[in-house]
Amino acid sequence: MKRSVLLTVFLLSAMMFFSPKKVDAQIIEVGVTGGLSYYNGDLNPGKQFYNNGLALGGVLRYYDNMRWAFRFQYSNMSLQAADETGYYAPAKDSFTSKVNDFALLAEFNFFDYWTGSNRDFFTPYLMLGFSVFNYNSTTTDLNGVVSEKEPATSFSIPFGLGFKYSLTNRIGVTLEWMIHKSAKDNIDAVEDNFHTEYKQDGSEEIIKLPLAYRCDWYSMLGLSVVYRFNLPKKADCNSGIKPRK
């Protein structure tokens, strides 16, 4: 995960030197998004797309040129996991959490793209940003006792990749995988940095958890549908763009 963050930052920084194609139109896109959400941390240190929950939200995207876009996104995600091995917590401990995430992101399109263009109507892209999120976790222990934790607020660094496609003159779709590196270690209600392992001879060994899992991660694989609005800028706001039919 750490390498993925560094790679994404490096690629986005390098792409700042690209000269995007200028057009006369400025665009705002408004849409909805839905998909799968999941968690990585103490109770699920390595598996991707495991114990998926439902994610829903809305998106507001702004284009000033054909390579860079900036967007605000709200996401409501359900996270869940259970430690069946007992390595990171007592065996069968489980949690569920509702996350409300508010993110600001920059997107870089690998190809020129404009929703409604008949020429530049698809592109892969990268994204990087900052988010503030609120979460409310509920845990269930070995005896079936349910405990609800106090709601808390923190921030995360979201990054990821996706693919955009313009369906019509006004409607576009995106498919993306967004990963959040949070600043909290207790979304799963497990925040110890050490694990006690019991050996066969009855002795105990204290093991320090890997650095990557001292803060929790949450991710979303989502499909968005957006509608394009043109902002007035110049008289010929669609210069150089052939609309899709």
Side-chain angles (χ1 to χ4, degrees):
M1 289 287 191
K2 186 176 181 180
R3 291 181 180 179
S4 300
V5 176
L6 295 175
L7 178 61
T8 304
V9 172
F10 171 77
L11 289 174
L12 288 176
S13 300
M15 290 168 184
M16 289 294 295
F17 295 98
F18 282 63
S19 297
K21 182 185 293 185
K22 292 290 184 180
V23 294
D24 290 328
Q26 288 181 314
I27 280 177
I28 283 183
E29 295 177 345
V30 179
V32 294
T33 184
L36 302 175
S37 56
Y38 66 95
Y39 143 94
N40 290 110
D42 298 318
L43 302 187
N44 176 28
K47 294 181 180 180
Q48 305 298 318
F49 306 104
Y50 184 66
N51 279 331
N52 297 310
L54 178 65
L56 298 171
V59 58
L60 176 67
R61 180 183 286 111
Y62 168 77
Y63 285 95
D64 186 57
N65 57 65
M66 300 183 79
R67 288 295 180 99
W68 284 98
F70 302 91
R71 87 177 196 239
F72 168 79
Q73 178 159 331
Y74 164 72
S75 302
N76 178 273
M77 291 175 270
S78 297
L79 307 178
Q80 56 193 6
D83 183 19
E84 299 180 356
T85 65
Y87 187 82
Y88 288 91
K92 300 298 182 182
D93 268 13
S94 63
F95 88 98
T96 59
S97 184
K98 289 291 186 181
V99 174
N100 289 289
D101 185 88
F102 302 85
L104 291 173
L105 300 116
E107 300 173 349
F108 178 82
N109 300 327
F110 282 94
F111 309 140
D112 291 336
Y113 175 82
W114 209 266
T115 299
S117 173
N118 194 39
R119 180 181 57 202
D120 305 304
F121 57 88
F122 69 92
T123 183
Y125 66 97
L126 294 175
M127 59 188 151
L128 178 66
F130 177 85
S131 82
V132 175
F133 68 96
N134 176 271
Y135 63 100
N136 188 5
S137 300
T138 300
T139 62
T140 304
D141 65 16
L142 289 173
N143 299 316
V145 177
V146 177
S147 302
E148 186 171 344
K149 306 299 180 182
E150 289 292 331
T153 301
S154 186
F155 68 90
S156 78
I157 303 299
F159 61 97
L161 70 164
F163 184 83
K164 300 177 182 178
Y165 187 83
S166 178
L167 286 176
T168 70
N169 186 34
R170 291 286 181 178
I171 298 175
V173 296
T174 65
L175 177 66
E176 69 179 25
W177 181 25
M178 187 191 305
I179 303 168
H180 292 254
K181 172 63 173 175
S182 79
K184 279 289 187 177
D185 184 40
N186 63 348
I187 296 177
D188 52 15
V190 179
E191 53 186 333
D192 292 334
N193 290 336
F194 298 90
H195 159 72
T196 302
E197 183 172 335
Y198 299 94
K199 298 183 177 181
Q200 292 182 350
D201 60 6
S203 61
E204 299 180 359
E205 180 181 2
I206 304 299
I207 300 175
K208 193 172 185 179
L209 297 181
L211 180 62
Y213 302 116
R214 293 181 204 168
C215 287
D216 297 327
W217 303 71
Y218 57 96
S219 304
M220 176 178 174
L221 179 66
L223 179 70
S224 299
V225 179
V226 298
Y227 186 86
R228 188 196 82 188
F229 297 90
N230 284 356
L231 294 178
K233 187 177 180 183
K234 294 184 179 179
D236 186 10
C237 66
N238 286 317
S239 176
I241 300 177
K242 294 181 180 180
R244 291 181 65 78
K245 298 179 181 180

